[in-house]
Amino acid sequence: MEDGRFYGCGIFDMKSGCVLMLEALRAFKEFNLTPTRPITILLSCDEEIGSFSGRPLVEKEAKDSEFCLVCEPSANGRVKTGRKGTGMFELKAHGVPAHAGLEPERGASAILEISRQIEKIHALNNLAEGTTANVCTITGGTTTNVIPEYANCSIDVRFTKANEAERIESELKNLKSFDGRVALELSGAINRPPLERTETVAALYEKARKIAETFDYELGETQVGGASDGNFVAALGIPVLDGLGVSGNGAHTLEEYILVEDIPLRATLLASLLLAD
Amino acid sequence: METQKLLAYFQAGQTAIIERIRQVVELESTSRDIPGNRLVIDWIEAEARKISEDFIIERIFANGYGEHFILRAFSSAEKPVLLLGHTDTVHPRG
């Protein structure tokens, strides 16, 4: 704890958010309050790695819900009314190995192939539409004097519109090798749909903002590139307000922290949202 | 209930809330760390039970990941509000 910051791995993303939910329930018990609607708390255990197990559970609970509040980290205190969709792909190249000194012409380099494909992948970016495709890891080759037989790269895709996701996926699937002797294989998929700032999402934010005003708390909103399980809920047409966790910074780093003074403010906001009409 | 009263309550309880956050943060639970995740869910369930015995709690084992946690409270004919979160973190043990 230092200068009003409470440091800890996972504190911001999002263990303090989990505690916030319990604190709201504790307050209701203390004051014998009944919230306007039943409450379902769902804490998944694989959100950080894509929710492959948690997603069906999130969608099942979401379908029966009136609206959804996500206690994930805020962005400089702002709640999140929009999130990009995500995709995770891997492109593998399988070429022909050969001795780099004795007979390089007999080899077909998988590394050269992947590096040429990376330019094509990056050309798929459309920043005006909010679409990004980035090669974030690359591996390949065996040793310094052998034309590499295998190479692969991972591709991180983000988008704000569903048709852009389709475009990217289609383009990636249709990548053709520059060298006919190298085979390309694409794996992976679109992972999360975007959380779009619809009218109902905006209305939910407005409700939260007005509640915050009653205790002089300024609540801003923003749209971000990162995704959460809230994306799955929003895709079902259920209104979502995300980023309701305690303010802080450094998510996914060793400098992760929350702001202590924000704890009671966020708790009041969450509890009040659950008590409101 | 007036928001000011709730705020006063949470401010008065801030030290205790900080302590609870500290306890759950110290239970390391990176994604796919099943024993670590279980300890976090044990803690959350125990804390929930301290608040009320009436909550309906489900723990759903997810092979390779840990346990998903569901708590249901204040049931009625109305559609519920879904409070969403996750217990896994990106930080490996240590």
Side-chain angles (χ1 to χ4, degrees):
Chain A
M1 196 91 67
E2 205 177 286
D3 292 331
R5 293 178 179 185
F6 186 2
Y7 288 90
C9 291
I11 194 169
F12 181 42
D13 186 7
M14 55 164 275
K15 287 197 170 157
S16 59
C18 294
V19 172
L20 265 189
M21 298 182 214
L22 292 175
E23 297 308 323
L25 294 180
R26 199 186 309 274
F28 297 155
K29 179 78 176 179
E30 173 76 17
F31 294 106
N32 207 15
L33 297 168
T34 306
T36 332
R37 294 180 171 281
I39 291 172
T40 304
I41 292 178
L42 169 54
L43 304 176
S44 61
C45 61
D46 66 335
E47 189 275 342
E48 294 289 8
I49 49 173
S51 299
F52 293 107
S53 169
R55 178 177 184 169
L57 205 50
V58 170
E59 289 175 331
K60 176 170 172 276
E61 294 300 326
K63 281 193 179 106
D64 295 330
S65 302
E66 183 70 14
F67 63 92
C68 176
L69 303 175
V70 190
C71 291
E72 288 269 19
S74 58
N76 295 317
R78 293 170 186 272
V79 291
K80 294 171 180 175
T81 50
R83 285 185 180 274
K84 285 193 180 179
T86 62
M88 303 182 300
F89 295 90
E90 191 177 18
L91 183 66
K92 289 182 185 160
H94 181 186
V96 179
H99 193 291
L102 298 176
E103 44 174 29
E105 66 286 348
R106 293 192 66 174
S109 168
I111 285 179
L112 180 58
E113 183 61 47
I114 286 284
S115 54
R116 285 165 160 167
Q117 294 294 343
I118 287 173
E119 293 271 5
K120 286 181 82 177
I121 291 164
H122 278 265
L124 296 175
N125 277 271
N126 186 338
L127 296 185
E129 291 288 308
T131 307
T132 62
N134 283 290
V135 171
C136 292
T137 66
I138 180 168
T139 57
T142 50
T143 187
T144 54
N145 60 356
V146 175
I147 304 293
E149 184 178 4
Y150 292 104
N152 56 358
C153 67
S154 70
I155 309 162
D156 176 291
V157 174
R158 311 269 167 159
F159 50 94
T160 53
K161 297 177 186 170
N163 61 348
E164 278 288 280
E166 284 161 21
R167 175 179 73 85
I168 296 278
E169 193 166 22
S170 167
E171 295 276 3
L172 289 176
K173 281 180 174 160
N174 286 325
L175 287 173
K176 301 277 183 286
S177 57
F178 287 87
D179 185 336
R181 297 168 297 163
V182 179
L184 289 178
E185 186 191 326
L186 182 78
S187 59
I190 297 299
N191 178 237
R192 290 196 170 102
L195 196 170
E196 298 186 44
R197 191 183 184 278
T198 59
E199 269 178 34
T200 52
V201 168
L204 194 46
Y205 161 64
E206 192 52 31
K207 186 174 171 181
R209 194 192 61 75
K210 287 196 170 121
I211 287 173
E213 256 182 0
T214 66
F215 54 101
D216 295 325
Y217 187 39
E218 201 179 310
L219 192 71
E221 60 159 330
T222 187
Q223 288 79 52
V224 295
S228 80
D229 282 346
N231 292 46
F232 299 132
V233 177
L236 296 170
I238 308 293
V240 179
L241 192 58
D242 204 330
L244 284 164
V246 181
S247 299
N249 221 326
H252 297 202
T253 76
L254 294 176
E255 299 302 310
E256 189 170 347
Y257 67 86
I258 55 170
L259 293 171
V260 170
E261 63 174 13
D262 200 49
I263 294 171
L265 293 162
R266 283 315 230 228
T268 304
L269 178 61
L270 183 64
S272 303
L273 265 168
L274 293 167
L275 293 168
D277 296 321
Chain B
M1 175 153 199
E2 284 166 28
T3 51
Q4 293 289 357
K5 281 193 182 145
L6 277 171
L7 181 59
Y9 162 78
F10 287 121
Q11 281 167 336
Q14 185 167 297
T15 307
I17 297 175
I18 286 170
E19 173 56 23
R20 287 191 277 272
I21 293 173
R22 186 193 63 74
Q23 285 174 14
V24 75
V25 167
E26 285 182 358
L27 298 170
E28 297 187 72
S29 59
T30 190
S31 314
R32 296 197 185 94
D33 177 356
I34 297 176
N37 182 259
R38 275 218 162 103
L39 287 177
V40 169
I41 304 298
D42 285 345
W43 184 91
I44 292 174
E45 179 172 9
E47 281 300 314
R49 296 261 180 244
K50 281 182 202 169
I51 298 169
S52 170
E53 287 295 333
D54 296 336
F55 298 147
I56 298 170
I57 289 175
E58 278 176 73
R59 294 169 63 151
I60 300 164
F61 180 64
N63 206 0
Y65 302 107
E67 292 184 5
H68 302 301
F69 175 87
I70 299 182
L71 180 154
R72 303 187 202 278
F74 305 105
S75 55
S76 75
E78 298 287 336
K79 277 184 169 187
V81 177
L82 179 60
L83 299 185
L84 210 50
H86 62 89
T87 51
D88 61 320
T89 75
V90 301
H91 300 278
R93 270 188 203 264

